[in-house]
Amino acid sequence: MSYPPPGGQHPGPYPTPYNGQYPPMPPGQGYGTPPPPGYGPPPGYGPPPQGYPPGQYPPPGQYPPPGHYGPPPVINQPMGPGPGGAPGGWMNMPQGQVNCPPGLEYLTMIDQLLVHQKVELLEALTGFETKNKFTVKNSLGQKVYYAVEDSDCLTRNCCGPIRPFDMNILDNYKNEVIHLHRPLACDSCCFPCCLQSIEVSAPPGTVVGSVEQEWSIFCPSFAIKNPSGETVLRIEGPFCTFSICGDVEFKIMSADGNTQVGKISKQWSGLIREMFTDTDYFGITFPMDLDVRMKAVMLGACFLIDAMFFEKSRNKEEDSPGML
């Protein structure tokens, strides 16, 4: 026998289904009229909402009542005038990102970064090496980060391009969101056990990856590694890293080296700037869906490549391209 039986009637003790109408009441009795709007329900309809005395409800559209819950969260970064007075300034921080180190939210919706080194007049006039400073922008020209080298005067002027340094990468609130550490090492193929590297932490104290130079004779090569030491990407440089009226490109390759996924380009900044200063312009491109931690490591690789190949003193030495 199927359930329910045909006709909607339940045999035996099953009650008759409700048909949407109230049963008749005895004469003189009724169900009463509903209370007018704005009043509490009659007794027996359950307790009133929590936080209100019996018989009183919050006014429509104001539940819960307004109160002081602390300052509202910061949704947009403050904006300011861009270069030349054009709109721009700092980039807005994307919201709603999960599993992302604080400060790296900017990189979630970016597939290109522009790194501009600040011109230091003292260094340009005297040749005295000062701390490098960089502005990191997106493809729209909006500022993303500000990077400041942390090193002492002795190592800058004695060790030159192979000097050790720390790089503090700050957001527009002057909070350090990425920290780079480059130890003192050689950059010659004669010492394969002591090659260049840089460690990337985001936030500072939490290592997210590293860039390690690989031994090679003709073309520079680097391994991009995750915190576990596994190679995630590779960087392959050109045979000649000397910039002559054109860009110098370092290809970002897959871990097996078969597919190019991006590049780090040292952009030609003009004859006067190239000859008399070591102020450089770089462009970094990578896949949009690349993990933000690896994007931060790509930024660290850019600073390492700049220090190794494009410092003013290094260009004057005119070393052979095989000395890596």
Side-chain angles (χ1 to χ4, degrees):
M1 181 177 179
S2 61
Y3 183 83
Q9 300 295 328
H10 298 273
Y14 294 102
T16 302
Y18 178 65
N19 59 3
Q21 299 181 359
Y22 292 101
M25 294 293 294
Q29 298 184 14
Y31 288 97
T33 58
Y39 291 86
Y45 281 0
Q50 296 293 330
Y52 294 92
Q56 297 184 14
Y57 285 85
Q62 297 186 11
Y63 185 85
H68 298 284
Y69 296 95
V74 177
I75 299 178
N76 295 327
Q77 300 284 4
M79 303 293 290
W90 287 90
M91 174 185 173
N92 290 335
M93 177 186 290
Q95 299 298 309
Q97 304 299 326
V98 296
N99 194 25
C100 178
L104 299 190
E105 295 90 348
Y106 299 96
L107 302 179
T108 56
M109 303 302 295
I110 284 180
D111 61 357
Q112 182 179 11
L113 289 173
L114 304 176
V115 182
H116 293 174
Q117 186 174 356
K118 182 180 178 182
V119 177
E120 299 292 340
L121 295 180
L122 177 62
E123 182 175 339
L125 296 176
T126 65
F128 186 81
E129 187 69 30
T130 59
K131 295 181 180 180
N132 291 331
K133 300 179 180 65
F134 303 85
T135 300
V136 183
K137 301 180 180 181
N138 60 15
S139 58
L140 300 178
Q142 297 173 330
K143 299 177 184 178
V144 182
Y145 298 119
Y146 185 72
V148 181
E149 178 184 349
D150 184 9
S151 61
D152 58 75
C153 177
L154 181 62
T155 56
R156 285 197 306 273
N157 292 277
C158 294
C159 299
I162 65 171
R163 66 182 181 271
F165 64 77
D166 291 285
M167 187 75 71
N168 304 321
I169 302 179
L170 317 173
D171 62 8
N172 62 330
Y173 290 122
K174 306 302 180 181
N175 298 321
E176 184 179 12
V177 296
I178 304 175
H179 185 84
L180 310 178
H181 174 68
R182 180 200 187 193
L184 179 64
C186 300
D187 63 346
S188 172
C189 62
C190 299
F191 302 95
C193 60
C194 188
L195 298 177
Q196 292 290 319
S197 65
I198 194 166
E199 184 182 71
V200 183
S201 302
T206 303
V207 178
V208 296
S210 61
V211 183
E212 298 182 7
Q213 182 186 8
E214 298 179 326
W215 184 84
S216 62
I217 298 178
F218 298 107
C219 299
S221 177
F222 301 86
I224 307 299
K225 298 185 177 182
N226 60 18
S228 302
E230 302 171 346
T231 299
V232 179
L233 298 169
R234 296 184 182 275
I235 297 178
E236 297 179 359
F239 178 79
C240 178
T241 59
F242 188 74
S243 178
I244 305 176
C245 300
D247 296 350
V248 180
E249 293 187 356
F250 290 74
K251 298 179 181 179
I252 302 176
M253 310 296 293
S254 58
D256 56 11
N258 295 328
T259 306
Q260 182 177 352
V261 298
K263 64 181 179 179
I264 298 176
S265 302
K266 196 275 179 185
Q267 301 172 350
W268 175 257
S269 57
L271 182 62
I272 296 178
R273 186 186 294 266
E274 293 284 345
M275 290 184 60
F276 297 103
T277 71
D278 59 355
T279 304
D280 301 316
Y281 289 166
F282 284 88
I284 312 172
T285 59
F286 36 64
M288 180 74 74
D289 58 352
L290 182 66
D291 188 277
V292 292
R293 298 166 182 82
M294 291 298 103
K295 292 181 181 181
V297 177
M298 291 292 104
L299 184 58
C302 177
F303 289 122
L304 179 62
I305 290 172
D306 175 47
M308 290 179 61
F309 302 106
F310 302 107
E311 286 285 334
K312 181 180 177 182
S313 57
R314 176 64 182 238
N315 290 337
K316 284 185 176 181
E317 291 174 3
E318 297 183 356
D319 288 345
S320 63
M323 294 296 290
L324 302 173

